[in-house]
Amino acid sequence: MQPTPLHASHDHEIESLAEFDEVVSTGGTLARFRVQAVDLTDRTQDLLSVDTTGAVFLGCPMEPEAAARIRASGALVFPPVPGLPLDPYRGCLYSPDELFDSLDAGYESTPDARAYAWFQQTKADGDIFASMVRAVHDDSVSDALDELLLGARVVGVMGGHAMARGTEAYAGAARLGRALARSGLMVATGGGPGAMEAANLGAYAAPFDDGMLDEALNILAAVPSFTPSITDWARAAFAVRERWPSGGPSVGIPTWFYGHEPPNAFAEHVAKYFANATREDGLLARSNAGVVFLPGAAGTVQEIFDNTTPNYYESRGEPTPMVLVDRAHWTERYPARPLLRSLARERAMESRIALVDRVDDAPEALKHLSGHDSAKPTPRQGICIDSP
């Protein structure tokens, strides 16, 4: 058996030309490797000489001579799919720059908008090939997301898309994202506008002094919403990024299912899906350090109980913390908290739920729940653990 190169992925995935060259030069074989979305048109001699038994090439451009030879050796070759606005075999997550490329010509010209238009067209046509492409794409995104978050402590921040820039609620969500990022957590959101953008903005602002976030909020307030113009909304975000480059990392997990909601530009890593169910479950399942639920409507209510179910049954192991922000919102306007409290009674998840009045109390509540022991926690000022 050929030795595995020291720096090769544990699952034998090759996702860049640099990785390909390293594997070939140090191991001398591609047998049983998976090569994903790597342009190999200039590596014909390697492909003609190296062992490719059992290898799989996913969307890798290559010369016909090389493709014929490796097929003959028993490798599987899935060629690039022409005419798509995206690469279904991609080996990494999206970046805001990639999704918003060509924004100067208007949002409609960007890859994000073109992918949504393709989705709408092929969904209406009922094209089985397009359905397969979307499924391959979403699985590739999930694989890249798992690789990114391996070993990370991830906290989810959920909230509605309607939260406008320039409001105190938006500023509070941004402070929350900043505080969580500064505590060493990877902030993950649904990747869209409103509360999601605010939390990603806060994580982006984490390395800078506190004045940076105040200035950024003032810049963004000039364009409060992504309606009526996604173009103007996105340009304001990129203006902030250009003034303060190299912000802190965070993750956004949006979906083309809600195509009217654009992704925000402050999440460094964007895992964008076509299937919303895959996106929703994946976001909550990866939030291993807990979830903070900001005020929202139907979507956020759904996320609360999507997160409650595995905590109730402990199907993902020990229940993870859940922090609900705004007592009146979650006990009166949308009374999710009373039902949640009833479900949690006398179960392990009971001590992992907090209700706070103010968004600025959420980081401390999350920390408190994360350090719980078998005894019932004592409520702190502004934090409701078990009372209505």
Side-chain angles (χ1 to χ4, degrees), residues 254-269:
T255 174
W256 279 293
F257 182 80
Y258 297 128
H260 64 288
E261 295 182 17
N264 76 71
F266 293 110
E268 179 180 347
H269 309 285

Side-chain angles (χ1 to χ4, degrees), residues 174 177-183 199-213 244-250 266 268:
R178 184 178 64 184
L180 294 172
R182 286 178 173 175
S183 72
N200 287 129
L201 167 64
Y204 186 90
F208 302 99
D209 62 47
D210 291 355
M212 174 269 175
L213 182 57
W244 293 280
S246 303
S250 66
F266 293 110
E268 179 180 347

Side-chain angles (χ1 to χ4, degrees), residues 116-127 130-131 134 256-257:
Y116 176 62
W118 173 81
F119 176 37
Q120 290 296 98
Q121 177 186 343
T122 56
K123 185 174 65 172
D125 293 344
D127 185 346
S131 297
R134 293 195 295 270
W256 279 293
F257 182 80

Side-chain angles (χ1 to χ4, degrees), residues 117-184:
W118 173 81
F119 176 37
Q120 290 296 98
Q121 177 186 343
T122 56
K123 185 174 65 172
D125 293 344
D127 185 346
I128 184 62
F129 179 69
S131 297
M132 183 195 73
V133 167
R134 293 195 295 270
V136 170
H137 170 275
D138 285 3
D139 192 63
S140 298
V141 167
S142 289
D143 182 65
L145 185 59
D146 285 338
E147 292 173 356
L148 172 75
L149 297 179
L150 185 65
R153 294 180 64 234
V154 182
V155 57
V157 178
M158 311 297 164
H161 68 268
M163 185 183 289
R165 295 167 172 175
T167 63
E168 175 52 35
Y170 185 96
R175 293 193 302 271
L176 170 66
R178 184 178 64 184
L180 294 172
R182 286 178 173 175
S183 72

Side-chain angles (χ1 to χ4, degrees), residues 53-133:
T53 305
V56 180
F57 294 82
L58 299 166
C60 299
M62 63 182 71
E63 296 294 341
E65 178 186 10
R69 186 265 169 185
I70 62 178
R71 282 194 180 99
S73 75
L76 291 176
V77 179
F78 293 79
V81 182
L84 293 180
L86 49 84
D87 181 359
Y89 303 111
R90 60 182 303 114
C92 60
L93 299 182
Y94 293 97
S95 69
D97 289 327
E98 180 181 1
L99 288 172
F100 285 102
D101 186 43
S102 302
L103 182 64
D104 287 346
Y107 173 71
E108 295 75 16
S109 301
T110 66
D112 186 66
R114 290 189 287 110
Y116 176 62
W118 173 81
F119 176 37
Q120 290 296 98
Q121 177 186 343
T122 56
K123 185 174 65 172
D125 293 344
D127 185 346
I128 184 62
F129 179 69
S131 297
M132 183 195 73
V133 167

